[in-house]
Amino acid sequence: MPLTKSANLEIVDYLLSAEREGYEVTKVTERYPDLTIDDAYSLQKQLIERKVQDGVKRVGVKRVGVKLGLTSKAKQEMMGVHEAIYGYLTSDMLGLEWEPIVFNQLIHPKAEPEIAFLMGEDLCGTNLTEEDVLKAVKYVAPALEIIDSRYLDFKFTLPDVVADNCSSSRFIVGSNWIKPDQVNLANIGMVMSKNGEVATVGAGAAVLGHPAKAVAWAVNKLGEHKEGLKKGDIVLTGAVSEAISFRSGDSIHAQFADLGSVSFSCS
Ligand code: 0L1
Ligand code: MG
């Protein structure tokens, strides 16, 4: 049975309050065990619309792009799924390399190294390929995503995490923007350090074999909902390694071969 209007409103409030106030909540599926993936994407859309509506009144929050999640085989196996997921990036999530991330505003954050795409053209459809994506990308850049699931102990089912906008919290994009044909995105190696010590390593191929392939999947999925990418969108293409937890006082640095580096500190 589809969710009632009041259940939709209640769930959106529940997840947005947890994010704004920085506390953990029990999974939505504990209360709504029949929640489907389609319900979850609809909740995610309502959550972003509400965030933008509320934010416009205060600080001018707007949609600035899209993020992909569960793009590695390892993470899909961990969740027992065969598909990636997508969520939205809004302007209030944008962090800066020189401005510390405030730990007190977060719950149990983790950092993920990702390759960001800046779209040079709109891209919409249901049958697009990796090549179509690369033609529409203006620049690629190193990025760090901060994920911060609103759920207790970072544990959830697939509909839960989709409804929670795929654990999105903040993202930081490095200053080295290059043309996509100047680098082999699948072969790029990456080393992520925490407080100067190597924490994890990865490669572009961890993202469904090639980040552009992952983005083609996302655009085709968005296309099923009559949506797509827009010129100027930032796309976080998916983690190239495992995510690393951090706390107040920590600093995180990701060094990508041929693509430069990106970092942040946490106050
Ligand atoms: O960005 C991501 O890959 C996260 C997707 C959601 C799963 C998680 O929170 O680990
Ligand atoms: Mg991510």
Side-chain angles (χ1 to χ4, degrees):
M1 202 172 61
L3 287 177
T4 62
K5 197 168 171 202
S6 70
N8 274 285
L9 285 172
E10 183 214 319
I11 298 169
V12 168
D13 269 344
Y14 178 71
L15 291 171
L16 269 184
S17 302
E19 180 181 348
R20 283 181 184 148
E21 310 298 325
Y23 58 80
E24 296 173 287
V25 291
T26 52
K27 292 178 292 190
V28 173
T29 51
E30 294 212 350
R31 179 122 192 242
Y32 297 95
D34 300 330
L35 195 77
T36 65
I37 288 287
D38 282 346
D39 293 333
Y41 274 113
S42 164
L43 283 163
Q44 183 196 96
K45 199 166 168 219
Q46 294 170 62
L47 185 139
I48 296 299
E49 280 166 5
R50 175 82 77 76
K51 210 173 177 189
V52 169
Q53 269 165 21
D54 293 355
V56 162
K57 287 183 218 141
R58 292 176 294 129
V59 283
V61 176
K62 58 179 187 165
R63 169 200 185 282
V64 294
V66 166
K67 62 137 315 165
L68 279 74
L70 304 183
T71 43
S72 75
K73 272 274 156 278
K75 224 162 172 181
Q76 290 185 3
E77 272 163 25
M78 208 173 86
M79 292 281 302
V81 296
H82 306 285
E83 224 181 48
I85 52 179
Y86 69 82
Y88 287 97
L89 301 173
T90 50
S91 50
D92 57 322
M93 295 178 190
L94 182 60
L96 300 170
E97 286 198 280
W98 55 90
E99 208 170 84
I101 298 292
V102 181
F103 186 74
N104 280 348
Q105 294 174 351
L106 305 175
I107 307 166
H108 39 206
K110 298 180 189 181
E112 291 187 330
E114 308 212 4
I115 295 170
F117 288 180
L118 177 76
M119 301 309 296
E121 294 168 25
D122 290 356
L123 197 62
C124 194
T126 52
N127 205 14
L128 295 166
T129 63
E130 188 175 327
E131 289 72 33
D132 297 323
V133 170
L134 285 171
K135 274 190 227 142
V137 173
K138 191 165 185 191
Y139 294 113
V140 299
L144 282 162
E145 181 181 21
I146 297 174
I147 52 171
D148 193 27
S149 171
R150 271 48 72 172
Y151 300 120
L152 278 168
D153 302 326
F154 241 105
K155 295 215 170 82
F156 37 70
T157 66
L158 201 61
D160 285 308
V161 69
V162 168
D164 186 31
N165 196 27
C166 305
S167 309
S168 311
S169 176
R170 305 278 191 280
F171 67 98
I172 300 104
V173 183
S175 53
N176 192 37
W177 293 77
I178 64 172
K179 297 270 179 209
D181 59 3
Q182 284 175 354
V183 62
N184 182 332
L185 291 167
N187 283 3
I188 285 182
M190 185 289 312
V191 178
M192 183 159 76
S193 315
K194 179 160 97 173
N195 305 328
E197 303 267 327
V198 173
T200 186
V201 296
V207 184
L208 293 184
H210 193 293
K213 190 170 162 198
V215 175
W217 171 85
V219 182
N220 292 331
K221 204 74 193 162
L222 284 159
E224 289 172 18
H225 298 108
K226 306 266 177 292
E227 288 178 45
L229 297 177
K230 297 182 183 153
K231 181 178 176 178
D233 268 357
I234 294 167
V235 183
L236 294 183
T237 58
V240 303
S241 76
E242 67 186 305
I244 298 296
S245 299
F246 64 89
R247 302 188 59 76
S248 173
D250 288 339
S251 58
I252 301 285
H253 179 88
Q255 179 73 51
F256 291 77
D258 303 327
L259 198 55
S261 66
V262 53
S263 55
F264 69 84
S265 61
C266 180
S267 65

